[in-house]
Amino acid sequence: MKLNLEQIPREKTLSKKEFIQKYFKPQKPVVIERFIEDWPAYSKWNLDYMKEIAGDKEVPLYDDRPVKHDEGFNEPHAKMKMADYVELLKSGPTKYRIFLWNILKEVPELQKDFSYPDFGLRLMKGLPMLFFGGEDSYTFMHYDIDLANIFHFHFEGKKQCILYSQSETKFLYKIPHSLITREDIDFADPDIEKWPALKHAKGHVTNLEHGNVLYIPEGYWHHMKYITPGFSMSLRSIPRKPKNFGQAVYNIFVMRHFDNLMRKLKGQEWIDWKNEKAVERTQKLLLQE
């Protein structure tokens, strides 16, 4: 049995009013297919262009290895020149990804290639982030620490995106004091016998191609798998729901620091305990359904 996923609605384009009424207010995801064709980035941004304009920049790389107690929050697993990384992506499948790469800080001239769209939300203009991945690379199922509304603009290649709302958390084997699910769950091809609660979770799926924009409502879980090498840019807006805003403040100022402290005090024992609790709590909640 596969995951219970429905296709994310797709629109050719959307006005601000349509977006607010149909998707933002009810907090539903959507793919907008032809929203950025007037951006210079639409025709310019590909892997070769990134190699040309940022080839000498050293970039942080991440893979799919499990979280370790002696690694800091979002600590990279390797570093490489962008030019070498692009060649690595082209050479074949690789697990190495770039995420949360701030283009304003690293390559300011890229800002000339896009504009901040008016979706009716105030976007955080200091935080346009780029995400790169090679064929078959993927992120763990997670949600963002600030529970932001996210607009995910995809360039080059194809990427599969699986989303769940926070209401489905009880079925996802969430790791306590963390923003991820069990890392040994392959959401692209899950073992339902091993993770039976997953069959109760109702989620969303889509494939993104060059020029597509995915709206991810605030706090949504997301799993990204690169079917082919490519990259995306995310723009974000702070959560509007008071509960989500409060949770974001807690995550940033309390949860993250508490987790780092426990890693230092307990070591791998803390990581193992959290993984066990993820299963125990999910099974307990499942029995209550």
Side-chain angles (χ1 to χ4, degrees):
M1 178 179 175
K2 297 297 183 180
L3 296 173
N4 184 4
L5 303 174
E6 64 178 25
Q7 288 291 324
I8 295 173
R10 304 180 78 88
E11 305 266 9
K12 291 298 181 185
T13 188
L14 279 175
S15 68
K16 175 170 65 175
K17 183 178 179 180
E18 289 171 331
F19 169 73
I20 292 293
Q21 292 297 327
K22 293 177 67 176
Y23 299 104
F24 174 69
K25 284 187 175 179
Q27 287 288 282
K28 293 181 178 179
V30 63
V31 175
I32 313 172
E33 295 181 334
R34 304 186 63 177
F35 192 80
I36 63 169
E37 292 180 1
D38 60 337
W39 286 8
Y42 180 77
S43 56
K44 291 170 63 177
W45 282 19
N46 55 38
L47 291 172
D48 288 333
Y49 182 68
M50 290 297 163
K51 178 181 177 180
E52 174 188 334
I53 199 167
D56 63 337
K57 298 290 183 180
E58 188 175 68
V59 293
L61 302 177
Y62 302 81
D63 58 25
D64 59 358
R65 72 187 69 177
V67 171
K68 296 171 62 178
H69 73 275
D70 55 353
E71 292 178 344
F73 188 79
N74 285 348
E75 186 175 310
H77 299 135
K79 293 183 179 179
M80 187 180 293
K81 294 285 188 182
M82 176 61 90
D84 297 329
Y85 178 62
V86 169
E87 289 306 308
L88 177 65
L89 294 182
K90 290 182 172 184
S91 67
T94 175
K95 297 297 185 183
Y96 278 129
R97 296 176 291 106
I98 300 174
F99 84 111
L100 294 178
W101 199 57
N102 190 324
I103 63 174
L104 288 184
K105 176 182 175 183
E106 300 295 341
V107 192
E109 54 264 46
L110 286 175
Q111 188 180 2
K112 300 173 185 177
D113 293 339
F114 69 92
S115 56
Y116 292 90
D118 183 5
F119 286 110
L121 304 180
R122 181 177 293 179
L123 298 173
M124 291 185 269
K125 294 187 176 181
L127 293 173
M129 297 293 185
L130 287 182
F131 302 78
F132 291 73
E135 180 183 344
D136 290 338
S137 65
Y138 61 88
T139 65
F140 296 124
M141 182 65 76
H142 69 286
Y143 64 94
D144 288 10
I145 193 168
D146 59 356
L147 282 82
N149 293 277
I150 302 169
F151 297 92
H152 200 66
F153 305 80
H154 190 60
F155 299 93
E156 188 157 337
K158 185 179 289 187
K159 175 193 278 187
Q160 182 195 64
C161 308
I162 298 175
L163 308 181
Y164 290 100
S165 70
Q166 283 288 319
S167 65
E168 305 304 297
T169 299
K170 57 184 176 290
F171 302 124
L172 298 180
Y173 299 91
K174 179 188 182 297
I175 302 293
H177 310 291
S178 182
L179 308 171
I180 62 174
T181 64
R182 286 275 306 219
E183 297 155 297
D184 45 353
I185 299 175
D186 178 4
F187 276 87
D189 186 23
D191 183 344
I192 298 297
E193 289 189 10
K194 185 175 182 180
W195 313 109
L198 293 180
K199 64 186 178 184
H200 299 281
K202 296 179 180 179
H204 313 265
V205 65
T206 196
N207 285 347
L208 297 181
E209 297 183 347
H210 181 85
N212 290 173
V213 184
L214 171 64
Y215 167 60
I216 305 175
E218 53 192 63
Y220 262 53
W221 292 90
H222 43 284
H223 174 278
M224 308 291 196
K225 181 175 181 179
Y226 291 85
I227 300 170
T228 63
F231 63 100
S232 308
M233 179 180 74
S234 281
L235 300 177
R236 58 207 305 114
S237 173
I238 63 171
R240 298 290 187 90
K241 292 183 178 180
K243 179 181 178 182
N244 289 342
F245 183 80
Q247 186 64 46
V249 171
Y250 171 80
N251 289 344
I252 294 168
F253 294 105
V254 180
M255 184 273 292
R256 176 173 58 176
H257 300 290
F258 174 74
D259 187 53
N260 282 337
L261 175 63
M262 293 304 291
R263 288 190 199 193
K264 292 177 182 178
L265 294 176
K266 296 286 189 176
Q268 189 59 37
E269 180 185 346
W270 173 244
I271 303 295
D272 294 341
W273 178 84
K274 291 201 300 177
N275 279 321
E276 291 170 6
K277 282 295 177 185
V279 176
E280 289 178 15
R281 291 180 179 182
T282 300
Q283 290 175 337
K284 183 178 180 180
L285 290 168
L286 189 60
L287 291 173
Q288 296 173 359
E289 284 295 309

